[in-house]
Amino acid sequence: MDALAFPVPGEPTVDDVVAALEVVRATQRDLLIGLGGGSALDAAKAVAVLATNPGEPLDYLEVIGRGQPLKQPALPCVAVPTTAGTGAEVTRNAVLSSPAHRVKVSLRSLFLLPRLALVDPVLTHDLPPDVTARTGLDALTQLIEPYLSIRANPVTDALCRDGLNRVARALQRAFENGSDADAREGMAAASLFGGIALANAGLGAVHGFAAPIGGMFKAPHGAICAALLPAVMDINLRALQSRQPDAETIPRFQAVARLLTGSARAESADGIRWVAELCATLRVPPLGAYGITPADFGAIVEKAEKASSMKANPITLNREELTECLERAV
C-alpha cells in the first residue's frame, strides 16, 4: 500500500484527529509515522491508538471527555521529531486542543508510547530562531519542572541534571547559529531527556497554565511556558519557604541555579534570574502579546487548578499566587 500524507497545520485539535482517523480507518493503514514537531507527533500518537479502540476521542479524553481507559494496543507508531522541545517521541500522552471547550487536554495511556523514536539532530538545523527559542525553552521547562516535582526520583533526576547542563551551553548558541551541530545535538538530547523525565515524574504549574491558555488563545505552547517559567519558579520557591520551610524541594532550586549558571556559588535566585535573562535574550514575548489581559485571569486560574500537571507541582499554589504568576507573565 502506498504511503499517505496527512498534514497537521498547527497544534492538533480534536477535529484534526477525527479527520485523520477517518482516513486511517477507511484505507486500513497499519503504520503511523509522526514527522515534525510535537504537534505532528501527538497527532500521530492519538490517531494510532484511536484507530484500534472503538468510539470517538471524547470517550477517552480527560477533563472534557468521559476519560475511559484505552484498552487496545495502538497501531505501530514511529516518532521522528524535527524540533528540540516537546520530547513527545517518548511520552505516553497526546495533547489535543478543543476549540469548543477552549482548552487543551490529553489522551493518556501506555499504549500512546511510540513503538520507535528516531532522534536526529540534523533534522533541526533549519529551524528558524523563533521556533528554536520557544521549543528550546519548552525543553528547559520540561527539565526544571520534573526535577522540582513531588514525584522526582533518582532516574529522572539524573536525566534532568544532564539535560539542564546541555541547555545551559547549547540553547543560546542554537538560537544564534542554527547550523551549530554541537548545539543542535545538545538540544536534541535535552529534549529527549525532558520527555522521559516528565513522563515519569510529572510537570508543574507552568504546564498547568499552558493547557488552558493554549486552548483559549492562539499562543505557541513553548512561548507560553517561557513567559511563565521565571515567575512560577519564584512564586513556588517563596511559597515553599513560607509554608513548608523544611521541604526537600527547596535545595533543588539552588541545584538548578548551579547547573544553569555553571557556578558552584549560585543561589536559588541566581537560577531564576538566569532563566529570565535567557528568555529576554531569546526575545520571548509576554503573554499580553497574545491578547491575554487581567480580565482573563479568573477563567485561566479556574481551569489551571483542574489541570493534571498541577498535581506534581512542588506545592499547591493558592488562587492569589496563581493570579500573581499571570500578572508577572503578562
Side-chain angles (χ1 to χ4, degrees), residues 270-294:
D270 298 318
I272 296 168
R273 188 179 306 111
W274 186 95
V275 172
E277 290 173 353
L278 177 65
C279 290
T281 298
L282 302 189
R283 301 193 289 273
V284 173
L287 292 182
Y290 302 105
I292 300 171
T293 71

